Amino acid sequence: MDYTLQELEQRFTEPSVDLIEDIKKIEGDILLLGIGGKMGPSMGKLAVRAAQAAGVNKRIIGVSRFSDSRTKTELEEAGIETISCDLLEDESLQRLPDADHVIYLAGHKFGTSGNESFTWAMNAYLPGRVADRYKKSNIVALSSGNVLPFVSPVSGGASEDTTPEPIGEYAQSCLGRERILTYFSKKNHTNMLIYRLNYAVDFRYGVVMEIAKSVLRGKPIDLSTAMVNVIWQGDANEIALRSLLHTSNPARILNVTGPETIGIVWLANEFGRLFDIEPIFVNEPARTALLNNASDCHRLFGYPKLSIREIINITASWLRLGGEEWNKETHFQERGGKF
C-alpha cells in the first residue's frame, strides 16, 4: 500500500494507547536536553500529543543550541516550550528550569575522528554536569549499543549483562557516559535509566533507508557487517518516554532495539522485489556483528508496534514519492570504531 507524504507523517507519529496510559502516570513536566538531534523533535511532539490525548496538563520543554531556527519554530508550533542553550556552558546549564523528569539526548558521534576532545566533552563530561544539575530529577539518558562487543549472530545478541568492549573513541566515550551517570546516580541517589539504542530508523534516515537507496540507485551494498538490529523511531521514542516509569538507583541499563536479527542480504532483496531491481553486493560477511538482545525491553513494553515488513513497505513508499532524506548515514558497517 502506498501513502501520501502527509499520511505517512501523521500515521506514524500517533501516540499509542500504552503511551497515553503511561503519560498519565508520569507526574510533572518533562525536559528534553539536546532536542535538536535526529530523535528529539519527533519525541517532543509525541510527548505533547500523548499528554493532549491523555487529558493531562504537562509542560514539554526542549533545550538545544538550535543552530537551525526552523527546528525551534517547528517545535514551538507543536506546543513545545523551547530554550536555546549551549549545555557545555555551565552557567547556562545552571539557569535552565527545574524539571521532574529529564530525557538526556545530547551527544556527539560523527566527526569524532580528529575531534576526539569535543566527543569526550559531550559524551562523558557533560552527562556528569547534567546529572549533578538535575540530581533531584528522574532521568532517562540515551546511550549506544556501540559500547558492547561484536557477537556471533547465533548468540542471541549482547544483553545488559554482557561486559562492554567499546571499539574506538566514540564507543569508549559512550561507555564513559554510562559510568559517569552511574556514579552520580549512586552519589546523589538519583533514579536513572541508561537507554542503549541501536539502530533507530525512520522513513528519512537509518539503516533501512540506506539499503533501500542503494538498491534503488544501483549502488553496491557492503556486506562486511551482514546482520543488524533496528527499531522504528516512533517506537524508540515511545520507549524513551515510557522508560521514565522504570528508572532506578543505581541506574538501570536497558537495551532498546527490535526483536529480529535482520540479514542485510534479505533486506536488500526485499527492496529489490519492491523496486524490481537486482541488488549489488560487495565484500564477504564477517562472522560477527553489533547485535543487541532487547528481550528485557520487550518484557517491559511489549514488541515494537511497527514490524520490519511495515518499515520496509513505508520506506519504499517514501522513496517512490520523493520524500525528504536526511542523509545522516549510520555507518553501521564500520568495524574499527572510526566515526
Side-chain angles (χ1 to χ4, degrees):
M1 175 181 179
D2 283 337
Y3 307 90
T4 67
L5 298 181
Q6 292 76 18
E7 286 171 341
L8 282 168
E9 288 272 14
Q10 182 69 21
R11 176 179 174 185
F12 297 110
T13 55
E14 288 284 351
S16 71
V17 172
D18 291 330
L19 175 60
I20 292 167
E21 289 303 308
D22 274 0
I23 211 80
K24 295 176 184 176
K25 304 171 190 173
I26 299 171
E27 297 180 359
D29 301 330
I30 300 174
L31 178 69
L32 288 83
L33 297 177
I35 196 172
K38 287 189 292 189
M39 292 179 65
S42 58
M43 188 184 298
K45 293 174 189 176
L46 183 66
V48 168
R49 295 178 72 177
Q52 291 171 342
V56 295
N57 185 20
K58 187 182 302 294
R59 294 171 68 199
I60 309 299
I61 307 165
V63 178
S64 175
R65 293 188 189 92
F66 290 117
S67 52
D68 182 353
S69 60
R70 291 174 299 177
T71 300
K72 189 173 189 291
T73 301
E74 177 187 316
L75 293 176
E76 290 170 348
E77 289 174 349
I80 298 163
E81 299 178 36
T82 64
I83 301 173
S84 296
C85 173
D86 183 345
L87 295 172
L88 283 171
E89 294 181 1
D90 201 59
E91 289 184 5
S92 300
L93 173 62
Q94 299 305 321
R95 286 197 299 267
L96 291 176
D98 293 338
D100 300 283
H101 306 279
V102 173
I103 297 182
Y104 182 75
L105 298 159
H108 184 251
K109 181 176 183 179
F110 301 115
T112 292
S113 296
N115 198 15
E116 290 83 0
S117 59
F118 178 72
T119 299
W120 281 91
M122 284 296 298
N123 293 350
Y125 166 77
L126 181 58
R129 301 302 304 137
V130 168
D132 202 47
R133 164 65 182 86
Y134 287 100
K135 65 183 71 174
K136 297 180 181 179
S137 301
N138 187 44
I139 300 175
V140 168
L142 267 69
S143 184
S144 169
N146 283 84
V147 304
L148 293 166
F150 284 69
V151 297
S152 166
V154 301
S155 68
S159 73
E160 291 85 353
D161 295 325
T162 301
T163 300
E165 294 180 29
I167 300 172
E169 295 227 21
Y170 164 68
Q172 292 164 9
S173 70
C174 289
L175 182 59
R177 170 172 49 208
E178 294 190 5
R179 299 302 195 219
I180 293 294
L181 288 170
T182 301
Y183 167 78
F184 279 100
S185 175
K186 292 177 179 178
K187 176 179 181 287
N188 296 329
H189 307 288
T190 303
N191 285 337
M192 292 188 191
L193 183 143
I194 295 171
Y195 174 111
R196 282 182 181 163
L197 173 67
N198 71 305
Y199 287 96
V201 299
D202 181 271
F203 31 65
R204 289 157 294 203
Y205 82 96
V207 174
V208 177
M209 168 62 86
E210 290 169 25
I211 299 301
K213 288 194 298 184
S214 294
V215 174
L216 186 61
R217 295 163 190 175
K219 295 182 178 179
I221 298 166
D222 183 1
L223 292 181
S224 298
T225 297
M227 310 293 289
V228 71
N229 300 132
V230 302
I231 184 170
W232 183 247
Q233 180 174 275
D235 286 311
N237 285 340
E238 287 214 358
I239 290 167
L241 291 166
R242 296 177 66 195
S243 288
L244 290 166
L245 295 173
H246 297 276
T247 58
S248 66
N249 170 36
R252 177 179 194 161
I253 294 175
L254 188 70
N255 288 353
V256 180
T257 195
E260 302 95 351
T261 298
I262 300 165
I264 297 301
V265 170
W266 174 82
L267 184 60
N269 283 330
E270 286 297 300
F271 283 114
R273 179 178 57 81
L274 291 171
F275 297 142
D276 195 24
I277 297 172
E278 189 72 25
I280 302 168
F281 300 107
V282 295
N283 298 327
E284 288 297 314
R287 294 183 178 181
T288 59
L290 187 66
L291 301 170
N292 281 8
N293 185 318
S295 56
D296 194 34
C297 174
H298 304 148
R299 178 184 64 83
L300 289 173
F301 303 111
Y303 284 131
K305 305 295 189 298
L306 206 65
S307 71
I308 184 59
R309 287 193 177 275
E310 289 175 293
I311 293 170
I312 290 168
N313 288 335
I314 64 174
T315 301
S317 296
W318 187 259
L319 280 172
R320 288 195 195 101
L321 291 165
E324 178 188 13
E325 299 173 26
W326 285 353
N327 295 316
K328 295 181 179 181
E329 301 298 315
T330 61
H331 299 277
F332 75 93
Q333 302 97 335
E334 173 60 40
R335 303 183 65 83
K338 295 182 179 179
F339 297 102

